[in-house]
Amino acid sequence: MQAYLDGAVKAATYIESTARDNVNVPPGGYYFGNGQSNKSTEHNIDVYALFTLLGKLSGNSSWLDGAQHARTFVQAMFDAPSGHFWTGTSDPTNIFYNNSPEDVQTWSYLAFQDPNYAVSLDWVKTNLATTDTTFAFNNGWGSTGGLRLRVSGVPMLA
């Protein structure tokens, strides 16, 4: 168990020392990586979850500061009028409005367990479901019948 915890601390230390955005606060958060200037809502949810667990498992509460920094970014990506999270930023501060993936909707709710974000689950059902017909755009099945969600999204939404 200790070897896994040590590995997680090493990975988290790398993230904290190379990807944290302390300049553009808000929205703060952590950069996508590899010197890129965009930030991903999905990756910041991951950082939040990792740092929160490290705060508990390592006994080092300083990880909770990083968790809150990532959470602040994710919360800044929430669009209350539409009830969903945007995918992230196209540069340090400008929200990327061109897509809204399923995983950030469900993972944010699972990570934060905040009832205020439950609406994003409904947003997924309403906006990302597709009808499985031969006429549906990008249905990927080529058959008829039923309401479908992207396969990897089904377990998260259930």
Side-chain angles (χ1 to χ4, degrees):
M1 171 76 170
Q2 188 61 45
Y4 294 111
L5 181 59
D6 292 345
V9 167
K10 186 174 181 179
T13 300
Y14 177 80
I15 293 167
E16 181 64 31
S17 65
T18 64
R20 184 176 176 124
D21 181 4
N22 283 320
V23 175
N24 302 291
V25 179
Y30 291 83
Y31 289 107
F32 198 73
N34 299 323
Q36 296 185 29
S37 63
N38 59 329
K39 292 179 267 183
S40 161
T41 304
E42 175 185 344
H43 292 173
N44 276 274
I45 294 167
D46 295 341
V47 169
Y48 169 82
L50 172 62
F51 286 11
T52 298
L53 286 173
L54 284 179
K56 292 175 185 175
L57 297 175
S58 72
N60 181 350
S61 64
S62 68
W63 289 113
L64 300 179
D65 173 67
Q68 184 57 47
H69 191 71
R71 182 181 180 133
T72 298
F73 174 82
V74 175
Q75 290 171 321
M77 296 301 106
F78 186 67
D79 183 59
S82 65
H84 84 292
F85 290 87
W86 295 110
T87 191
T89 61
S90 55
D91 61 37
T93 58
N94 291 303
I95 294 174
F96 183 72
Y97 295 107
N98 292 347
N99 76 23
S100 298
E102 178 276 328
D103 51 4
V104 302
Q105 315 310 321
T106 52
W107 293 355
S108 58
Y109 184 73
L110 291 171
F112 301 152
Q113 297 181 3
D114 185 335
N116 293 317
Y117 300 129
V119 66
S120 66
L121 303 176
D122 294 328
W123 185 89
V124 168
K125 291 188 294 185
T126 301
N127 294 281
L128 299 183
T130 183
T131 303
D132 187 10
T133 70
T134 55
F135 299 105
F137 180 72
N138 272 342
N139 70 7
W141 289 285
S143 63
T144 60
L147 181 66
R148 302 282 191 236
L149 285 171
R150 187 179 67 141
V151 174
S152 66
V154 172
M156 291 182 271
L157 195 54

